[in-house]
């Protein structure tokens, strides 16, 4: 089911003009920011479909940029995103690129740090302000970030899923959704775990210690 | 789990002898763990934002950020007050309400996406119209937003609420159908009548292309919000009068998606075809954005 809550239909409360091109875009940028462990120095946005055609008129560019700087759909700063980016010396670009076989409102976000660390994400704005991640680092992993979501970067190894679910269960976390993808057998992998309640930073660190296969974990939730 | 068919939702309402809004509230309580009071408070806030936008755009002339449109909500309100309209003056104000909210949206003002920002005028327009009529209490209208949510969830899950995916019928059409069904429940209609109103309103929106001039949420979006607010009320009245949607509402909703898929990409929120592609549409686009779409970006 794509839409679950009454407030996905009656909401979000947002600054216009477009829920899919403005609010959804802020959320996409925001998810990318939450997913990256570094402060981006350069951001590249590759836009396709309707995003590519109309991003200027809808302020999609401002919205995406505001999102990667940590702002949300409520933020007044969205309209000033370019000015703020300049102040922060964040370099950015918008390009029209056929990203792939995704929803017409899709974008590839590439965040790069000063020391060349990179994060690549493809996400779509499904309408009504709803954003959905399609790919992380080219792995097909879908989530919206509306519910508390854990993202684990880890080694593909026997027992990882058992270990992580045990670690969550022990602490009373109910798992709503779990997805796991790997580049190759025994190689690097990413798992997405949607839970029913918020997970603190200190708890993330506990997971990292308790489950040795984890190389990095982060917590994502959009507003 | 949310709703994917109207039949399932309305059959439940009939057999459990509950209003649709009650079923939606219970579902939301179960999903989020929040209490009914918390959910109602949250929804009351959404209603307040909607009302604010209606008042702002009917009492004052709101200009869009591009300068392309604005002031129509105020203009129609003033005209209605003069009392010589074809449509009954008090009915005409629902159009003013919807134009108002859409103009606030185009001004980058605060609105509630219902279900989207492009169609954000319709539901607030009819509900504030209900409030002003004195026939309904504010509390009932906040409850009605849960009815609208349930109907919107069915449409979103079995069809689409994205203009880029389904054309304007997915945005304006969905909002009109949601508003029509919601009004029927408010007026005490049966669940079956709620379904008929959804079906009638959606039928009249089929084929509606998404062709925003210069890609902006202004032309024709604002006007469509205005006129479809009236359509929503008319569809509600027709259903309450006993008019049926012979094609079952669920089938109408599903075919909306199919019609959308058959639309060329130029008519699905790309700002290329339809009104956007007219000589004037092209001229406006050039005036606002210059000749190149890719005018801005790299500051590296």
């Amino acid at each position: 089911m794509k839409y679950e809550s009454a407030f996905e239909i009656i909401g979000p409360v947002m600054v216009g003009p477009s829920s899919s091109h403005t609010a959804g875009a802020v959320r996409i940028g925001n998810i990318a920011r939450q997913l990256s462990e570094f402060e981006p120095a350069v951001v590249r946005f590759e836009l396709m479909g309707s995003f590519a055609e109309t991003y200027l008129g809808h302020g999609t560019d401002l919205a995406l940029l505001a999102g990667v700087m940590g702002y949300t759909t409520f933020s007044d700063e969205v309209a000033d995103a370019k000015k703020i980016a300049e102040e922060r010396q964040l370099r950015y670009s918008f390009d029209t690129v056929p990203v792939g076989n995704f929803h017409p409102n899709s974008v590839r976000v590439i965040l790069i740090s000063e020391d060349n660390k990179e994060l690549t994400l493809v996400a779509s704005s499904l309408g009504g302000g709803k954003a959905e991640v399609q790919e992380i680092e080219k792995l097909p992993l879908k989530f919206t970030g509306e519910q508390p979501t854990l993202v684990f970067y880890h080694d593909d190894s026997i027992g990882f899923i058992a270990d992580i679910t045990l670690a969550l269960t022990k602490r009373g976390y109910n798992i709503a959704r779990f997805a796991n993808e790997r580049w190759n057998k025994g190689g690097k992998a990413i798992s997405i775990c949607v839970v029913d309640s918020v997970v603190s930073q200190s708890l993330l660190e506990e997971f990292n210690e308790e489950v040795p296969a984890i190389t990095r974990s982060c917590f994502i939730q959009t507003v | 789990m949310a709703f994917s068919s109207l039949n399932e939702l309305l059959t439940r309402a009939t057999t459990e002898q509950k209003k649709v809004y009650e079923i939606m509230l219970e579902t939301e309580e179960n999903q989020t763990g929040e209490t009914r009071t918390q959910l109602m408070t949250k929804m009351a806030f959404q209603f307040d934002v909607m009302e604010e936008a209606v008042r702002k755009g009917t009492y004052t002339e709101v200009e869009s950020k591009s300068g392309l449109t604005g002031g129509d909500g105020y203009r129609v309100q003033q005209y209605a007050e003069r009392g010589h309209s074809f449509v009954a003056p008090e009915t005409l104000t629902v159009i003013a309400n919807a134009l108002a909210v859409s103009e606030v949206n185009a001004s980058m003002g605060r609105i509630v996406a219902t279900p989207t920002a492009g169609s954000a005028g319709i539901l607030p327009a009819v509900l504030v119209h209900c409030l002003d009529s004195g026939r309904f209490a504010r509390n009932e209208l906040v409850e009605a937003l849960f009815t609208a949510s349930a109907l919107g969830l069915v449409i979103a899950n079995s069809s689409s609420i994205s203009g880029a995916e389904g054309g304007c019928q997915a945005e304006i059409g969905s909002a009109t159908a949601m508003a029509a069904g919601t009004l029927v429940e408010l007026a005490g209609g049966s669940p079956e009548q709620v379904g008929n109103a959804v079906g009638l309103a959606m039928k009249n929106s089929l084929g509606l292309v998404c062709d925003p001039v210069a890609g902006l949420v202004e032309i024709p979006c604002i006007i469509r919000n205005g006129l479809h607010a009236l359509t929503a009320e008319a569809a509600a009245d027709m259903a309450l009068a006993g008019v049926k949607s012979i094609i079952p509402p669920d089938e109408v909703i599903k075919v909306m998606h199919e019609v959308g898929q058959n639309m060329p990409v130029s008519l699905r929120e790309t700002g290329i075809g339809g009104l956007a592609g007219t000589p004037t549409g092209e001229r406006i686009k050039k005036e606002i954005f210059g000749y190149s779409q890719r005018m801005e970006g790299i500051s590296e």
Side-chain angles (χ1 to χ4, degrees), chain A residues 170-198:
Chain A
K170 272 199 316 207
R171 292 168 177 86
Y173 282 91
N174 181 41
I175 299 171
R177 243 192 85 228
F178 192 95
N180 170 277
E181 292 287 344
R182 59 189 182 181
W183 277 274
N184 48 51
K185 203 168 152 185
K188 296 278 171 208
I190 300 178
S191 290
I192 303 290
C193 192
V194 179
V195 288
D196 287 340
S197 33
V198 171

Side-chain angles (χ1 to χ4, degrees), chain B residues 28-80:
Chain B
E28 195 77 18
E29 279 177 82
N30 289 337
Q31 263 169 17
T32 61
E34 288 179 66
T35 65
R36 197 187 166 94
T37 315
Q38 284 172 319
L39 293 168
M40 279 294 284
T41 306
K42 226 163 124 183
M43 200 56 105
F45 173 69
Q46 317 285 78
F47 187 78
D48 290 345
V49 174
M50 292 180 196
E51 193 191 351
E52 238 167 69
V54 168
R55 304 300 182 210
K56 191 173 170 189
T58 47
Y59 294 161
T60 63
E61 293 188 54
V62 174
E63 294 296 324
S64 72
K65 203 156 176 275
S66 70
L68 208 57
T69 55
D72 287 340
Y74 178 75
R75 229 162 263 138
V76 173
Q77 179 69 33
Q78 293 294 310
Y79 171 80

Side-chain angles (χ1 to χ4, degrees), chain A residues 1-21 42 50 52-58 61 79 82 91-96 103-105 126-128, chain B residues 1-2 28 31 42-43 46 50 105 108-117 123 145 149 152-153 156-157 159 162 164-165 178 215-217 269-270 289 293-300:
Chain A
M1 209 68 74
K2 284 187 288 183
Y3 296 81
E4 294 279 359
S5 164
F7 295 95
E8 290 176 64
I9 300 298
I10 307 301
V13 172
M14 56 166 282
V15 167
S18 167
S19 46
S20 54
H21 292 78
V42 178
S50 166
E53 296 293 341
T54 68
Y55 74 95
L56 288 171
H58 287 122
D61 47 350
K82 287 190 179 169
R91 286 161 291 165
Y92 58 88
S93 63
F94 294 93
D95 283 298
T96 299
H103 183 282
N105 280 330
L126 301 183
Chain B
M1 193 153 123
E28 195 77 18
Q31 263 169 17
K42 226 163 124 183
M43 200 56 105
Q46 317 285 78
M50 292 180 196
N105 179 55
M108 281 193 101
R110 202 163 64 139
I111 53 101
V112 188
T114 55
T116 65
L123 197 62
L145 285 174
S149 310
L153 280 170
N157 285 325
S159 192
S162 156
E165 209 174 30
M178 282 159 54
L216 301 168
V217 192
E269 210 179 339
T270 49
F289 296 122
Q293 270 283 324
R294 298 183 50 209
M295 51 176 252
E296 218 178 320
I298 301 172
S299 67
E300 284 182 4

